[in-house]
Amino acid sequence: MKKTTQSLLAALLFAITFSFSSNASHLMGGEIGWRCVSGGQYLFKMKVYRDCYGIPFGPPVSLDVHNYPGLTTITMNLISQTDISGFTSCDSCGGAIGTSVGVVEEFIFESNPITLSGTPPTQGWIFSYSNCCRNTTIDNLVGASSGSLGFTLRTIMYSVNGQSANPCYDSSPDFAEKPATTTGAGYDFHYTPFANDGELDSLEYTWAKPLDQWTGGAWTTTNPFPLTFSPGFTYTNPIPGPAFHPLNSGVTLNSHTGEIIFRCFTPGIFVAVNKVTSYKCGVKCSEIYRDMRFAIIPGNYLPDSITLNSPPVITPPFIDPNTSLPTLYDTVYEGDFVTFPINAIDFDFHSVTLEAAGSQFGGGFTDTAAGCLIPPCAILNPPPPLNNAISVSTTFQWQTTPDHLGMNYYCAYMPNTHYFLIRAKDDFCPVHAFSIAVIAITVLPPLPKPVVTQSNDTLQTASITGYGYQWYKNRFKIPGETSNAYKTIAQGYYQVRIVDTTNNSGNYSDSYHPVFTGINSLDKNTFPFIVSPNPSKGKFTLSDFNLNNFELTVTDRIGKIVYQKTFSNYNSNTLSIELKNENDGIYFVQLKSDLKSYQTKVVIRK
């Protein structure tokens, strides 16, 4: 069957079986985030997506601020307005009509740099944007057709162990992938939003509830009101499952990667919210919410489930040495130059467009020095987007270094497996068929892991001729510390990286948390005081110590001082401490006199 005949048949089937109305409703999704900029200030960024056939949208726009005394709004400036319909649709915004689905316009707004001071409360500082009107063609929300459902985007900034927000020390995660949420009925749908975090915080993906418009008052669990799902749907199951069609698979969300997978033969428009929570050493520091709309369009399958069109095929670039089968996964040694072809072909003889995403790709897919999370960056030659009849190809190139090895910390881990997303789509209408391949490359060290030892306040590893050294604290490089020994001056988690200077290969030690010795050595097996209760709810007592002049310091797991006081001529052997505002976790209690320093742990569990 020729392409023109296919398109006409699909369009006719679409017109008969499925219709989307047009009216004043228009908003279909978006998200809000922030990043730290120079001067310790915050720059907020918001993306809003609208159906092109709805009413116009644009400035003036502002964020509403909740739980922050004295600040109620943040002005947002329009940075760009882009028709991204070609991403998933056969139409453009200019020709959009009421039956056009997937015609999408992206608006990007940014604030001016702003200073935020103080500490967020337990419920966090909440930044939101509200609008009156969601799309009326939504099929999984009660009352959508009436046009009465509002729209609220939100993001939340939390306190990290009571640390002041001024200067800024944490950026929220951000999504590298656009919301590619238009697909054909019966297709195997795979989508990964690729959330990145510049501080390498741990990320968790979950579903969340879509919200109605916020119209004022205190932000609570019912203001703005969570929207009600239609029978057969919940916010954790927003896509039609087998109850709607026996061939529907239901939807899954991978909490670690964010990958969304389903196969659905039930046409319609379905709202979902994807939440990404970031954690520093197990402490929640931010939540970002992406409000999404899944449009599932008929026209790719006949009633007997015979396909009219199949997505392009991305050829796996590697061969598994154990099975001799093609695979998307490979293992290399640090220092290797990684290169391989990437090919996509459409066996229905449609044109193919190749696109890519990933935090380790360089700027424009051409810059090896900048634009990725950890330079050197990977590039594609020629760079996407690429388009060609029937098949398209490019070449992957990446120079690995010791910086791409994983780092193992006491409370965090930066993996040594790096992911690269490749997407291939055809030009079939009424909706493009697309396939996604996530290429995973694991970088292994060719050298044994160095061992860190402690002598008094000095950390060291073996000194080997021809090797270079670099020390790290709390995952960040310590400038100038390039010998095999380092004298610690503060609490923290330390690592050393060794590099063979002849071939630039290297490896990292495990994280090491030193115990400070004061002037004389610390008896690591005997503590001159008892902590009770332990665990506690934040109030505990030190007892059985015999010190008159000493300094008491309590730090959290990342070395931040949460309590410190000097005592002179103290004539009791018990001392009560109350940490009212600290989060659950492990804390280090240190007693330091002129002669010795002693340290132990206390667990707070409220």
Side-chain angles (χ1 to χ4, degrees):
M1 184 180 292
K2 294 183 179 180
K3 176 184 172 183
T4 53
T5 306
Q6 286 182 313
S7 300
L8 289 173
L9 178 58
L12 178 61
L13 181 62
F14 175 74
I16 294 173
T17 61
F18 202 62
S19 177
F20 296 92
S21 63
S22 174
N23 52 40
S25 302
H26 57 282
L27 294 185
M28 54 166 285
E31 70 260 10
I32 304 169
W34 72 86
R35 69 177 186 270
C36 295
V37 295
S38 60
Q41 293 184 296
Y42 297 79
L43 191 147
F44 286 86
K45 184 175 183 177
M46 179 173 70
K47 294 182 180 180
V48 177
Y49 300 95
R50 80 167 188 108
D51 293 315
C52 292
Y53 57 83
I55 62 175
F57 170 78
V61 168
S62 62
L63 298 183
D64 294 303
V65 183
H66 313 269
N67 303 329
Y68 187 105
L71 180 65
T72 58
T73 59
I74 298 173
T75 300
M76 303 295 287
N77 308 304
L78 180 62
I79 302 301
S80 65
Q81 178 179 347
T82 308
D83 181 353
I84 62 170
S85 301
F87 190 66
T88 55
S89 172
C90 298
D91 297 318
S92 65
C93 281
I97 58 175
T99 56
S100 300
V101 179
V103 283
V104 178
E105 201 167 23
E106 178 189 64
F107 293 77
I108 298 179
F109 298 87
E110 285 188 355
S111 70
N112 293 326
I114 183 173
T115 298
L116 298 176
S117 298
T119 303
T122 302
Q123 64 270 35
W125 289 333
I126 302 171
F127 306 89
S128 69
Y129 168 73
S130 288
N131 189 280
C132 70
C133 309
R134 284 185 183 267
N135 192 299
T136 61
T137 58
I138 298 167
D139 292 293
N140 62 345
L141 294 178
V142 173
S145 61
S146 68
S148 62
L149 299 188
F151 176 88
T152 295
L153 303 176
R154 76 274 203 192
T155 188
I156 307 178
M157 184 186 302
Y158 292 98
S159 166
V160 179
N161 295 324
Q163 186 168 341
S164 173
N166 184 17
C168 177
Y169 61 88
D170 177 67
S171 299
S172 72
D174 68 304
F175 294 102
E177 267 288 85
K178 297 183 185 298
T181 55
T182 300
T183 187
Y187 280 151
D188 288 322
F189 181 87
H190 293 253
Y191 170 73
T192 303
F194 261 76
N196 298 318
D197 191 280
E199 290 87 23
L200 305 180
D201 296 333
S202 300
L203 302 181
E204 179 188 30
Y205 296 82
T206 56
W207 296 113
K209 297 177 180 179
L211 301 180
D212 207 339
Q213 182 182 13
W214 179 76
T215 56
W219 185 285
T220 67
T221 55
T222 56
N223 183 30
F225 196 81
L227 297 174
T228 302
F229 278 83
S230 302
F233 298 95
T234 66
Y235 77 92
T236 57
N237 288 286
I239 305 298
F244 291 86
H245 191 289
L247 295 180
N248 289 351
S249 68
V251 62
T252 62
L253 170 64
N254 187 306
S255 62
H256 301 292
T257 66
E259 185 177 30
I260 297 170
I261 300 176
F262 63 81
R263 189 180 223 205
C264 184
F265 287 81
T266 307
I269 291 183
F270 309 99
V271 165
V273 177
N274 192 197
K275 179 176 75 171
V276 179
T277 306
S278 66
Y279 296 88
K280 288 185 185 296
C281 296
V283 178
K284 181 166 61 176
C285 48
S286 70
E287 291 175 347
I288 60 173
Y289 296 75
R290 170 175 270 185
D291 204 301
M292 311 169 69
R293 181 210 66 176
F294 293 94
I296 300 174
I297 303 174
N300 303 291
Y301 281 80
L302 293 171
D304 58 0
S305 298
I306 299 174
T307 182
L308 291 172
N309 180 50
S310 298
V313 175
I314 301 172
T315 305
F318 312 121
I319 298 296
D320 188 314
N322 297 316
T323 65
S324 298
L325 297 175
T327 180
L328 295 169
Y329 307 97
D330 196 21
T331 300
V332 302
Y333 284 105
E334 168 270 310
D336 287 348
F337 180 73
V338 183
T339 183
F340 53 85
I342 297 174
N343 300 301
I345 185 169
D346 191 283
F347 291 100
D348 293 322
F349 304 106
H350 298 148
S351 293
V352 182
T353 298
L354 188 73
E355 298 161 320
S359 61
Q360 200 49 44
F361 278 123
F365 303 99
T366 60
D367 192 341
T368 60
C372 66
L373 191 61
I374 308 172
C377 308
I379 64 172
L380 295 173
N381 183 27
L386 299 168
N387 179 268
N388 197 37
I390 303 176
S391 66
V392 66
S393 63
T394 186
T395 300
F396 179 98
Q397 297 175 330
W398 184 32
Q399 177 61 60
T400 63
T401 73
D403 288 332
H404 301 123
L405 295 171
M407 296 182 180
N408 187 17
Y409 297 91
Y410 173 75
C411 58
Y413 176 69
M414 186 188 80
N416 60 329
T417 299
H418 304 266
Y419 298 94
F420 305 88
L421 182 145
I422 306 298
R423 184 194 312 101
K425 66 179 182 182
D426 64 20
D427 61 351
F428 182 84
C429 289
V431 61
H432 305 318
F434 66 91
S435 58
I436 289 177
V438 178
I439 296 171
I441 300 176
T442 299
V443 182
L444 297 179
L447 299 178
K449 184 179 293 185
V451 176
V452 174
T453 59
Q454 180 180 356
S455 176
N456 294 326
D457 289 344
T458 299
L459 305 180
Q460 59 187 12
T461 190
S463 177
I464 306 174
T465 301
Y467 281 70
Y469 302 85
Q470 176 62 60
W471 288 90
Y472 294 78
K473 178 186 176 185
N474 298 337
R475 298 182 285 177
F476 294 99
K477 185 181 296 185
I478 306 174
E481 296 299 334
T482 56
S483 71
N484 72 303
Y486 172 68
K487 183 176 176 63
T488 58
I489 58 175
Q491 293 277 6
Y493 294 91
Y494 294 86
Q495 285 182 292
V496 65
R497 187 186 76 187
I498 61 171
V499 176
D500 186 335
T501 56
T502 60
N503 59 18
N504 203 37
S505 62
N507 201 356
Y508 290 87
S509 71
D510 285 335
S511 173
Y512 189 93
H513 186 275
V515 178
F516 290 105
T517 62
I519 295 176
N520 293 327
S521 62
L522 168 68
D523 182 351
K524 297 181 181 178
N525 299 314
T526 304
F527 298 105
F529 60 91
I530 296 173
V531 177
S532 63
N534 192 9
S536 76
K537 293 184 178 181
K539 185 175 182 179
F540 52 90
T541 298
L542 310 183
S543 60
D544 291 352
F545 63 90
N546 186 24
L547 297 173
N548 300 116
N549 303 299
F550 60 94
E551 182 183 68
L552 170 65
T553 304
V554 183
T555 61
D556 64 16
R557 291 185 298 179
I558 60 176
K560 175 177 170 288
I561 295 175
V562 299
Y563 182 96
Q564 189 171 52
K565 188 174 181 179
T566 301
F567 295 84
S568 299
N569 299 318
Y570 194 76
N571 56 11
S572 175
N573 67 347
T574 63
L575 177 62
S576 294
I577 301 172
E578 185 172 6
L579 304 177
K580 296 181 179 180
N581 300 319
E582 301 309 319
N583 296 320
D584 289 4
I586 298 174
Y587 294 81
F588 297 91
V589 182
Q590 182 187 58
L591 291 175
K592 184 176 182 180
S593 71
D594 291 337
L595 298 177
K596 286 189 176 183
S597 176
Y598 301 94
Q599 178 175 275
T600 191
K601 296 178 182 178
V602 62
V603 176
I604 293 179
R605 189 177 299 148
K606 298 178 181 178

